[in-house]
Amino acid sequence: MTHAIRIERAGGPDELRWTDVEVGAPAEGEVRLAQTAVGLNFIDVYHRTGLYPLELPTGLGLEAAARVEAVGPGVTDLKEGDRVAYASAPIGAYAEARLMPADRLVKLPEQIDDSTAAAMMLQGMTVQYLIRRTYRVKAGETVLLHAAAGGVGLIACQWLKELGATVIGTVGSDQKAELAKAHGCDHPIVYTRENFVERVKEITDGAGVPVVYDSVGKDTWDGSLDCLAPLGLMVSFGNASGPVPPVNLGVLSAKGSLFVTRPTLMTYIAKRADLVASANELFEVVRSGAVKIEVNQSYPLAEAAQAHRDLEARKTTGSTILTV
């Protein structure tokens, strides 16, 4: 018998239950994992609340580092004892042990420890697809990044600086502004007292930016569009403040023939080759020291509810892990 976090119905953090579960032997193409650290991400909140509906009852979590305990028939590239990590479906990372499709796992380099891996896979591969594929940022460009002091934000600030970009980032406090600046954000904007649209216009001499990366959603949508240069791209990849309302396409025309996309990591890594390429590029920038993963909070897995409360209250910075 082992343990996992389960939910019986959508709702608040109190719906998270520490439950006894049975984990059987791996089937064709599967491995059994003994998990060591689990990543906490805002998508977990969306799943828990029902914003992204799941079939209930269910586990939670999409990201973890683990050791292979057993391999099922047909699995040839993994063996017992291998250190691996993942950031993809099926849901259920909040667990001491679990079964996982082998083709969703990547082997961890020796230089990257389990806590770092659990903290970086989903957020780091999210940054990779955002700045290398959705909009391929080039040296000399200026970009706007919301939530610059969060887990995705701190990784993105560092990676963007490595690419030679100028980073404008919104944050909620002076402390978070200092944190973002220390990680490569050239122009942190404290949105609680500064109008970020006006500041972006000032910083860019009225030109606006070619791309906005927005994980906040409803509260920043209109302002983000106003920060874009003509033909600019609005990348809406999260809903921390709530879902974006229905979009009037005429607004995009009036504001300069703008483009909008709503990407997800799961689409970008659906193919095994894309998953491996994304993970390898992430491993390289971390191993080189260009990107440092900040694990600023750690909670026992059994206390996942408190971790969710702190995440939703914006008490966290950088990355958070749940320890097994």
Side-chain angles (χ1 to χ4, degrees), residues 106-126:
V106 292
K107 291 183 181 180
L108 284 174
E110 291 182 5
Q111 303 95 323
I112 296 176
D113 64 51
D114 288 17
S115 294
T116 301
M120 79 179 196
M121 292 301 295
L122 192 144
Q123 294 170 349
M125 290 197 297
T126 294

Side-chain angles (χ1 to χ4, degrees), residues 79-252:
K79 64 183 185 303
E80 183 179 343
D82 281 348
R83 295 175 60 244
V84 296
Y86 63 88
S88 72
I91 298 285
Y94 288 20
E96 293 177 327
R98 69 174 302 195
L99 300 176
M100 192 74 185
D103 67 355
R104 294 289 86 195
L105 302 171
V106 292
K107 291 183 181 180
L108 284 174
E110 291 182 5
Q111 303 95 323
I112 296 176
D113 64 51
D114 288 17
S115 294
T116 301
M120 79 179 196
M121 292 301 295
L122 192 144
Q123 294 170 349
M125 290 197 297
T126 294
V127 173
Q128 189 276 336
Y129 87 73
L130 289 173
I131 70 175
R132 306 303 290 149
R133 297 181 66 191
T134 302
Y135 182 92
R136 194 170 180 87
V137 177
K138 299 182 288 294
E141 290 186 312
T142 300
V143 308
L144 173 61
L145 171 70
H146 289 295
V152 168
L154 292 184
I155 294 171
C157 285
Q158 296 174 81
W159 205 331
L160 287 163
K161 290 309 295 179
E162 174 71 6
L163 295 174
T166 297
V167 184
I168 306 172
T170 65
V171 295
S173 67
D174 289 326
Q175 180 184 11
K176 290 186 176 182
E178 292 175 7
L179 183 64
K181 192 161 190 175
H183 288 77
C185 181
D186 299 279
H187 303 282
I189 299 170
V190 182
Y191 66 82
T192 52
R193 66 163 185 269
E194 299 178 275
N195 183 307
F196 73 83
V197 178
E198 293 177 0
R199 287 287 293 120
V200 168
K201 295 295 186 182
E202 290 173 7
I203 294 165
T204 62
D205 294 326
V209 295
V211 62
V212 175
Y213 296 110
D214 190 340
S215 61
V216 176
K218 176 173 63 69
D219 289 353
T220 50
W221 174 259
D222 290 331
S224 291
L225 294 181
D226 289 336
C227 291
L228 284 166
L231 306 181
L233 175 62
M234 172 66 176
V235 183
S236 176
F237 69 101
N239 315 279
S241 67
V244 173
V247 177
N248 178 354
L249 294 180
V251 172
L252 305 181

Side-chain angles (χ1 to χ4, degrees), residues 2-9 12-21 23 35 38-40 44 48 54 56-62 91-98 299-308 322-324:
T2 184
H3 298 89
I5 294 288
R6 305 277 295 175
I7 58 171
E8 300 289 329
R9 60 185 180 182
D14 290 344
E15 297 299 332
L16 300 177
R17 298 283 189 270
W18 185 240
T19 307
D20 291 338
V21 294
V23 180
Q35 307 215 119
V38 176
L40 175 71
D44 303 343
R48 190 203 74 223
L54 299 174
L56 300 172
T58 183
L60 279 183
L62 288 165
I91 298 285
Y94 288 20
E96 293 177 327
R98 69 174 302 195
Y299 303 78
L301 179 58
E303 297 177 14
Q306 186 58 49
H308 275 232
L322 307 172
T323 56
V324 180

